[in-house]
Amino acid sequence: MEAKAQVRYLRMSPMKARRVVDLIRGKSTAEALDTLRFAPQAASEPVLKLVESAIANARVKADQAGERFDERELVVSAAFVDEGPTMKRFQPRAQGRAFQIKKRTSHVTVVVAPVNK
């Protein structure tokens, strides 16, 4: 039984978030959590919380279905980052000009599922 967790409107550019998500795709959840705890990137903290949330969602789904749950059997079956809306801000520049700053957001999705044996 697979479980999904999403974070929407994460204030981080999708390119930076994808670097971290690519590290955990296809790994077991224990290995993914260890990787994220020690990754130096700023995006690793929200992705770590997201993987923990997906594991908790899987536990709840298993309890509701009356199935056996073992966290060690779960793997990150899918993880992807989509682009969210971009906030546009303006920075004043010399001689009355304005410079546009794009503050990008991301939608991150993590799906965990048991290993197929």
Side-chain angles (χ1 to χ4, degrees):
M1 178 176 297
E2 68 177 29
K4 180 172 89 166
Q6 271 187 316
V7 60
R8 301 192 63 202
Y9 306 106
L10 178 66
R11 270 291 297 120
M12 187 162 299
S13 76
M15 188 177 288
K16 291 178 183 178
R18 280 187 193 112
R19 282 179 48 200
V20 174
V21 168
D22 289 342
L23 293 173
I24 63 165
R25 192 177 296 116
K27 291 186 177 180
S28 69
T29 53
E31 193 177 345
L33 292 174
D34 289 340
T35 302
L36 291 171
R37 280 193 187 98
F38 296 107
Q41 291 87 0
S44 62
E45 183 182 345
V47 174
L48 173 71
K49 287 183 178 183
L50 192 61
V51 172
E52 289 172 343
S53 177
I55 293 168
N57 291 345
R59 179 178 290 116
V60 169
K61 276 183 126 176
D63 286 345
Q64 287 177 346
E67 295 179 2
R68 184 182 67 80
F69 178 77
D70 188 8
E71 186 177 318
R72 294 170 294 189
E73 292 179 359
L74 293 177
V75 294
V76 180
S77 60
F80 52 91
V81 179
D82 296 323
E83 191 170 341
T86 301
M87 297 186 285
K88 295 180 175 79
R89 302 292 182 260
F90 290 94
Q91 175 83 31
R93 301 305 290 230
Q95 299 178 358
R97 294 183 178 94
F99 181 75
Q100 189 176 26
I101 297 174
K102 295 179 181 173
K103 295 182 179 251
R104 300 186 187 273
T105 61
S106 306
H107 301 321
V108 185
T109 305
V110 172
V111 179
V112 295
V115 178
N116 294 333
K117 292 185 179 178

